[in-house]
Amino acid sequence: MSNPQPLKIFPQGEREIVFTRGFDAPRALVFDAMTKPHLVERWMGPRGWNLVKCEIDLRVGGKYRYVGKRPNGPEMGWGGVFREIAPPDRLVCTEVFDDPWYPGECVITTTFEEKDGITLMTAVTEYVTREARDAVMKSPMESGVKDSYERLDEVLAGAAQGA
């Protein structure tokens, strides 16, 4: 599978960051890969990371919890609550990291649009303040997100081939 649209990350308004990325896969498969633990644990995090915890209770009010482990490094945990679930079109959840450096809870609204077998994912993350959003924009999160989505491409390719 190829990357039909590379990752784009940009600020929007006062408190939002927008992430867009194309995937060469049907949106139902992309949605599943982002919400089913046995798939999420295969791609979430930069290369070299492993998810040591991946719990997803996919229902409105249900929680998710991830803990990632860096090679020879500390664990990083985060999670949230699902607010809206409309497969395979839309997913809304909160997100908060365990590390106090990360600036509080945010709300992520993710949409999936498919055209000719290509799925465009758009995730709009709303932070509590502009300062929180700006701190995240200055962090190295872009490289981790890019790595994760490249790993997701591999999972999607394998799933399309029945792996």
Side-chain angles (χ1 to χ4, degrees):
M1 291 186 171
S2 63
N3 179 353
Q5 182 177 330
L7 175 66
K8 294 179 186 171
I9 301 175
F10 55 91
Q12 174 177 280
E14 290 292 314
R15 300 182 299 145
E16 296 175 338
I17 298 176
V18 178
F19 301 77
T20 62
R21 173 67 150 71
F23 296 97
D24 188 5
R27 71 181 170 168
L29 181 56
V30 177
F31 188 93
D32 282 353
M34 293 188 165
T35 57
K36 293 190 174 181
H38 73 281
L39 295 172
V40 172
E41 64 191 10
R42 294 173 51 198
W43 67 266
M44 181 69 72
R47 290 198 188 279
W49 276 55
N50 290 311
L51 278 188
V52 295
K53 182 178 275 193
C54 180
E55 299 171 347
I56 300 173
D57 181 7
L58 190 62
R59 61 183 174 84
V60 173
K63 295 179 180 181
Y64 69 94
R65 173 84 177 142
Y66 306 132
V67 177
K69 177 87 169 97
R70 300 176 183 124
N72 301 317
E75 293 182 349
M76 182 171 89
W78 69 101
V81 176
F82 293 105
R83 290 187 173 178
E84 182 182 336
I85 302 165
D89 303 310
R90 182 175 162 93
L91 186 65
V92 180
C93 63
T94 62
E95 179 180 74
V96 66
F97 283 81
D98 297 351
D99 189 325
W101 177 90
Y102 289 92
E105 186 177 74
C106 60
V107 176
I108 304 170
T109 301
T110 306
T111 57
F112 306 88
E113 297 177 41
E114 181 181 348
K115 183 176 181 185
D116 300 324
I118 304 296
T119 298
L120 176 64
M121 182 216 64
T122 302
V124 178
T125 304
E126 183 178 6
Y127 294 87
V128 292
T129 65
R130 181 183 191 130
E131 293 76 21
R133 187 269 319 258
D134 291 349
V136 172
M137 285 296 296
K138 291 176 185 172
S139 78
M141 66 79 189
E142 184 171 355
S143 64
V145 172
K146 184 177 182 284
D147 261 10
S148 289
Y149 289 160
E150 287 172 359
R151 292 177 67 194
L152 177 53
D153 284 331
E154 296 164 11
V155 170
L156 293 169
Q161 296 173 3

